Structure formats: structure tokens, C-alpha cells
Amino acid sequence: MNKLFILISSALLLIGCSNKTVKTILLSNPTDDVREEAMVEVCAKALGLTADADFAALGLFDETGKQIPYQVMHYGQPEVQSIVFLATLQPESEVAYSLRKTTPLQTATRVSARFVPERKDDFAWENDIAAYRMYGPALAPENPSNGIDLWLKKTELLIVDTFYYREHELGLPYHVDYGKGLDCYKVGHTAGCGGVFPVINGLPQIGNHYDSWQVIDEGPLRVVFCLTYNDYFANDEAPVVETYTVTCDAGQPLCKAQVSFAPADSASPQFTEIGAGIFLHTATANPEIGVDGNTQIGVNTGYLAYAENAVSDAGLASGRNYAAVVLPGMKEHATADGMLYGKADYEMGETYTYYFGGGWSEWKYPTDADWFETIAKNARMIANPITYTIQ
């Protein structure tokens, strides 16, 4: 009887230890917007936990006691730099999440990014909202840009690998919608869906292809990669070097980009303005279907949002496709070289952070108004981020 009591007591003690709260993260929403599945990042040092082994035995729980997935971030460092997770907060509210001793919850991968050598050195990435790509060295003979291509998708599943496989192995082009999305967006030598560029003498200076790539952190909730442009010719003069780091999060309509320009040599041009913009198409693949562009500009919150008709290469009407940029510190906007773009002050060598993204009327955003409201809300949330304290 005593042995049985000891065994039961030991089991209860182990259960209690396995649910012990190690840290409580108190999140605060300073705005009157509902933040649904907002990405939260918490510094590992603030938690007092910086080793992978620390988090290997910790699960994350929401305010209802439900365990949720999270991801540790290294950003190229040996120690854990932060954790990220998706949280929902009501307007002007606080909510507590807790790290407890248990096995972390696993989740399906919702983001991806990879080099695509089978398609002329593309670099492609996606989340459950949209997919994107930028152009690599093998495309140099075709005069590519450092603009961003948008792939429309209407599934939470990852589609980039499938699209490339079907295109190159099965002869089923990704310019046709087979049920999960398509590529009908044209970039040309423009910024495409939110590309960035120097502004010299009041004019955008579009770059060419990237020269090298690096995936820094990989999913399931966040992917981070960096593209480097060694010979970015600005104003047809000597080159500058562009470093372009993208963070793509699950469930978010906008990617974060951190960009810096540095002189390649003593002849490199200096500039004091940077821009990011959206290509305003003037025609579709079907001459009977006009572009029907629609624009919304948030002057005070620094965003540009655009909507237009999506038409497949076969000339089929495919709803509306969307694009947007959010530029913190945007001082003005302009139209030039077929692009709508915003401008911000810039000092050579510094890192400027802005946001870009795209969407589709057949997935998440049925109308132009839905897209515009989403971008306006995200611009407000970027300006007023979620804060946290550790208990």
C-alpha cells in the first residue's frame, strides 16, 4: 500500500513539474485594432534563455491554456536570439502567454524560401497568403530587375515547389490556374510588387539581378533570407552594393525588407533618397480586358496600395490582384517610369526597413476595399507594435 502511494505521488509530482510555468510573457496591444494572428517576437535574452536546449523542453501556452507552436530564431548567431509566435489581442488589451516545462508543439510549415537553379537562378519564397520571386544571374541576358514578382495563390499549402515541378517536369505552366493559383504578374524592368531602389535626381534607379543568396532562418512560422547585388548600377554610373534581407511570416500579408546600399568603390554615386514602388500595368494579356487600376494612399501612415485586373497568359479573367508597400518615414509619393512609389530620406550605408506584399481576390481579399483596409490596418500596426514584459 505504501509503495502504491509513493508511485502515485511521484507520478503526480512529475505531472506538476511538466506543467510548471518558467516565464510569463505579458503582451500589450496599444491600438484600437483587433490583432488576429499577429506575429510576436520576444528577445531570448529578455527571457533569460539563449540555448537551443532551453527551448527543447519548453512549450508555449496561450491565455486559455492551449499549447501553441513557436519558433526559435538565430539570425546567423550560435545562440538563440528570439522566439516568434502568432498571437491574438483585442483592442487596447493585455494578454498573457506562458512558457512551461513540456515538449514543444510541432506544426506544419507555413513558409518557405529557396534558390531555384532549375529556373535560371530564381529565388522564390512564400507564406499562406502569396508567393514571390526575384531574379538571379542566369537571367542576365533577359535584362531582369531587382523588382519582385508576385504569384497568386488560393491555398494555405506551399505551392512554389509544385509550380516549378509542374512547369519543368510535366509541361504544365504556372501561368495557368490549375486550382491553387498562378503567375500572371509581369515585372519587366520595374520594381514589380514592392521592389526598392535609390532615387537620384528625383528618378527611380532600378537594379538588375542579384549575385548571391543566403537562407538565414527557416520556418515553420518565419523564414529569413538575404540577397546581395554586387553591381547595382545607379544613374548609369559606377555600381553600388545592395544587401536585401527579407523576413516572411506565416499569415501576414506583408513581408519585411531590410535594405542597405554601400559604395562599391570610390566612384560610386552618393544619394540621399530611397524609394519602393509598385508597377502600374498599362495592359493585360487580353486586349478586351482593361487593367482597371485602383489606388489608395495613406499619406500619414506611409503606405501605397494598388488593385488591378488579374488576367492569365491565356487571356482569362482571373479576379483582381493586389500589391502594397509600407514605408516608415515616407515623405512623399510620385509616379514615374510606370511605377507608383514612395520616397524616404536615406544615408548611404544605413539599413532601411520597409514592408511589401501582394494578394488576390480569390483568396482572403474578395474586394479592393478588403485589401485596402488590410494594408491600412497593417500600416497602423507597424507604427504601433505589440509590446511585452516578462514575468
Side-chain angles (χ1 to χ4, degrees):
M1 187 71 175
N2 287 337
K3 290 182 179 179
L4 179 61
F5 176 77
I6 292 172
L7 287 171
I8 293 173
S9 299
S10 299
L12 291 172
L13 181 61
L14 288 171
I15 292 171
C17 289
S18 69
N19 289 317
K20 179 182 178 182
T21 296
V22 175
K23 297 287 181 178
T24 297
I25 305 166
L26 186 62
L27 304 179
S28 178
N29 176 13
T31 71
D32 58 5
D33 290 306
V34 175
R35 301 194 182 213
E36 189 171 354
E37 271 216 321
M39 185 63 79
V40 176
E41 183 163 18
V42 176
C43 176
K45 286 185 178 179
L47 291 167
L49 305 165
T50 58
D52 285 296
D54 294 332
F55 295 99
L58 292 176
L60 182 64
F61 293 79
D62 67 14
E63 71 280 7
T64 69
K66 177 184 177 182
Q67 189 173 4
I68 64 169
Y70 69 95
Q71 179 180 338
V72 297
M73 303 298 300
H74 284 268
Y75 297 118
Q77 302 301 314
E79 291 189 330
V80 177
Q81 302 299 299
S82 66
I83 65 169
V84 295
F85 57 94
L86 295 166
T88 296
L89 288 86
Q90 297 304 310
E92 298 179 337
S93 67
E94 292 185 335
V95 63
Y97 284 69
S98 58
L99 285 166
R100 304 179 191 174
K101 286 185 176 296
T102 190
T103 302
L105 182 67
Q106 302 300 309
T107 185
T109 299
R110 297 173 59 182
V111 294
S112 71
R114 77 171 179 95
F115 172 58
V116 190
E118 68 268 31
R119 218 307 295 198
K120 299 184 179 181
D121 296 344
D122 285 352
F123 194 94
W125 70 99
E126 66 179 306
N127 62 7
D128 32 19
I129 305 294
Y132 310 88
R133 67 173 168 179
M134 296 177 81
Y135 302 114
L139 206 66
E142 300 179 38
N143 190 33
S145 73
N146 66 323
I148 298 165
D149 191 18
L150 169 66
W151 284 11
L152 309 177
K153 57 184 291 187
K154 51 182 175 182
T155 175
E156 292 183 350
L157 299 175
L158 299 177
I159 54 90
V160 163
D161 286 348
T162 300
F163 276 26
Y164 278 118
Y165 175 80
R166 290 168 66 92
E167 167 89 14
H168 295 285
E169 300 297 328
L170 304 181
L172 301 173
Y174 44 66
H175 298 99
V176 175
D177 182 6
Y178 292 103
K180 294 183 178 179
L182 80 160
D183 171 23
C184 64
Y185 193 88
K186 307 303 179 187
V187 177
H189 201 75
T190 76
C193 181
V196 70
F197 42 80
V199 178
I200 299 179
N201 297 325
L203 295 175
Q205 307 294 313
I206 301 299
N208 48 21
H209 60 81
Y210 73 82
D211 293 291
S212 61
W213 61 272
Q214 179 188 10
V215 175
I216 299 170
D217 277 290
E218 294 187 79
L221 300 177
R222 168 174 287 183
V223 64
V224 183
F225 64 90
C226 181
L227 304 179
T228 303
Y229 297 75
N230 296 327
D231 297 305
Y232 191 117
F233 281 86
N235 204 28
D236 295 326
E237 299 178 11
V240 295
V241 176
E242 178 193 4
T243 303
Y244 193 72
T245 302
V246 172
T247 300
C248 180
D249 289 336
Q252 311 307 305
L254 297 174
C255 301
K256 181 174 79 171
Q258 296 166 289
V259 59
S260 66
F261 290 95
D265 54 44
S266 59
S268 297
Q270 299 290 315
F271 50 88
T272 58
E273 290 183 320
I274 197 170
I278 302 165
F279 183 23
L280 305 177
H281 296 95
T282 58
T284 72
N286 185 338
E288 296 182 0
I289 303 176
V291 173
D292 192 21
N294 188 11
T295 303
Q296 181 167 292
I297 298 171
V299 176
N300 295 328
T301 47
Y303 74 86
L304 310 172
Y306 183 66
E308 64 183 9
N309 282 332
V311 181
S312 73
D313 283 11
L316 299 177
S318 303
R320 303 277 284 172
N321 64 248
Y322 306 122
V325 293
V326 178
L327 293 90
M330 185 177 80
K331 60 182 185 178
E332 61 180 311
H333 63 276
T335 303
D337 296 338
M339 298 180 297
L340 170 67
Y341 67 99
K343 293 193 289 185
D345 291 328
Y346 181 75
E347 182 178 345
M348 285 288 283
E350 75 174 8
T351 298
Y352 177 72
T353 300
Y354 80 103
Y355 304 80
F356 68 88
W360 196 13
S361 62
E362 296 195 23
W363 183 245
K364 307 286 187 181
Y365 314 104
T367 68
D368 294 5
D370 293 320
W371 177 248
F372 292 158
E373 172 53 30
T374 295
I375 300 307
K377 179 178 178 179
N378 274 262
R380 293 193 298 269
M381 294 192 297
I382 289 167
N384 300 279
I386 291 170
T387 59
Y388 65 86
T389 55
I390 307 299
Q391 301 175 350

